[in-house]
Amino acid sequence: MVRAAVLPAVGAPLEITDIALPEPGPGQVRIRLAAAGVCHSDLSLTDGTMRVPVPAVLGHEGAGTVVSVGEGVTHVAPGDGAVLNWAPSCGQCHHCRLGEVWLCASALSGVGAVHARTADGTPLHPGLNVAAFAEETVVAANCVLPAPDGIPLTDAALLGCAVLTGYGAVHHSARVREGETVVVFGIGGVGLAVLQSARIAGASTVVAVDVSPEKEELARAAGATDYLVASATTAKDVRRLTGGHGADVAVECVGRAVTIRTAWESTRRGGRTTVVGIGGKDQQVTFNALELFHWGRTLSGCVYGNCDPARDLPVIAEHVRAGRFDLGALVTERIALDGIPAAFDTMVAGRGGRALIVFQ
């Protein structure tokens, strides 16, 4: 039995309880978690914005130590450090054959499996494949990436979602070039990773936008040259800070229609907006045909930073080891497993960066 955070039903409060976790079968790996990040996507599972089978063990951003492996697993061994990959690619579907592994048709095929059971025998599913809100987890081998050398596992947990997403949004989706101007909407864990990544890309002006004035110090430490508290004049304010033209690139990390529209309006003619935030179906964004023609802007979605984790993790790790990327700067609170509900409340209130569950 291990302690875990279980979502019994959509809209229900999380339950911190003991679960019966099986030993790994063929092609599976058992991981003892060192740390797990509390991401807005986990909150989206609780309120039904994203739908997965329930009851489920939540958590998708984590790292830990391999405890045991099932038959056929050769790329990791007991005692190895590991980073969890919540969206593994199959390598065979249409998108994988195109090299777009972040759009793999089978990435979430494991969420319907029986992952563990409650003390009374109720079957539990693995929220987003990896069930990282637990002391230990059992995952498919393709959900396990060898942890990079020289990075503590508690920090490496952030690589599994926030950092890959933020880094990829800048370098793969928006493709920020040296000297360009960038505006980032939403300064949570992913937004802070976007700011650091924009700095690494050589952006000349990096404007951070958030509803909370208290996040300015966090944003500037991550690389923001300017900070704006979101208002009805945000797009005009961004243009003022970028030579009157608007930013070359906007990255939206909130997932709200009004923020997406403002991000788009904050870019110059021909600018690029990348939407990272996950919004609900009720968030409708509208444009008229003439403005689409006139402004010539690009609006694109971004899944998992358009990253290939196996390719990008070593690149990001080198930035971390070289001191260019500070993983610890994303974390504003370190908590125990039973602190997750309060961390959700903090996210809803728009406070802080990443909350990190530390197990050991």
Side-chain angles (χ1 to χ4, degrees):
M1 305 290 284
V2 300
R3 297 288 284 173
V6 173
L7 176 67
V10 172
L14 283 184
E15 297 177 356
I16 311 302
T17 186
D18 289 329
I19 63 171
L21 192 67
E23 289 303 311
Q28 292 185 321
V29 180
R30 184 167 180 142
I31 306 286
R32 179 180 303 114
L33 273 298
V38 181
C39 178
H40 204 280
S41 296
D42 299 306
L43 184 61
S44 296
L45 296 179
T46 68
D47 65 16
T49 299
M50 296 172 63
R51 292 249 176 206
V52 295
V54 290
V57 179
L58 299 189
H60 64 280
E61 178 184 86
T65 302
V66 176
V67 175
S68 55
V69 301
E71 181 183 351
V73 178
T74 59
H75 72 296
V76 290
D80 288 351
V83 174
L84 296 176
N85 173 13
W86 64 270
S89 56
C90 70
Q92 303 297 321
C93 71
H94 177 70
H95 290 291
C96 285
R97 291 196 300 270
L98 290 174
E100 299 171 347
V101 298
W102 53 91
L103 298 178
C104 176
S106 301
L108 294 180
S109 60
V111 300
V114 174
H115 169 72
R117 295 184 183 275
T118 62
D120 66 4
T122 301
L124 300 171
H125 303 289
L128 285 178
N129 278 329
V130 296
F133 286 173
E135 294 168 331
E136 296 188 12
T137 188
V138 173
V139 300
N142 62 355
C143 290
V144 179
L145 298 166
D149 293 335
I151 300 176
L153 288 175
T154 48
D155 290 341
L158 300 163
L159 297 172
C161 183
V163 177
L164 276 169
T165 300
Y167 180 88
V170 169
H171 291 271
H172 300 321
S173 181
R175 299 184 180 180
V176 175
R177 299 182 288 264
E178 185 172 0
E180 288 193 313
T181 57
V182 177
V183 56
V184 182
F185 289 80
I187 311 305
V190 173
L192 289 168
V194 171
L195 290 173
Q196 291 203 49
S197 300
R199 186 192 65 227
I200 290 170
S204 59
T205 298
V206 182
V207 183
V209 181
D210 198 274
V211 296
S212 171
E214 287 77 22
K215 291 188 181 182
E216 180 171 1
E217 184 178 348
L218 274 175
R220 289 188 181 275
T225 59
D226 300 274
Y227 189 84
L228 296 173
V229 177
S231 72
T233 64
T234 295
K236 291 181 180 179
D237 295 336
V238 172
R239 287 195 289 275
R240 174 177 53 81
L241 293 169
T242 53
H245 304 291
D248 295 301
V249 170
V251 183
E252 198 274 358
C253 303
V254 181
R256 294 183 63 234
V258 65
T259 316
I260 294 168
R261 177 73 204 201
T262 303
W264 188 81
E265 291 176 354
S266 297
T267 62
R268 63 171 174 84
R269 196 175 187 188
R272 313 185 299 281
T273 298
T274 287
V275 178
V276 177
I278 301 173
K281 294 179 180 179
D282 61 325
Q283 296 294 313
Q284 299 292 317
V285 188
T286 60
F287 306 90
N288 68 60
L290 181 60
E291 65 180 328
L292 291 174
F293 162 77
H294 172 75
W295 288 103
R297 293 163 170 153
T298 300
L299 177 68
S300 61
C302 178
V303 178
Y304 207 1
N306 293 10
C307 274
D308 178 347
R311 174 198 65 198
D312 292 309
L313 200 61
V315 175
I316 297 170
E318 185 53 39
H319 286 306
V320 174
R321 288 190 290 262
R324 292 184 292 268
F325 201 111
D326 182 0
L327 293 173
L330 275 61
V331 180
T332 53
E333 187 179 18
R334 294 175 186 269
I335 62 174
L337 193 63
D338 59 7
I340 298 172
F344 281 173
D345 291 340
T346 297
M347 277 194 293
V348 171
R351 300 192 304 269
R354 207 43 141 213
L356 188 69
I357 306 159
V358 179
F359 293 95
Q360 50 180 291

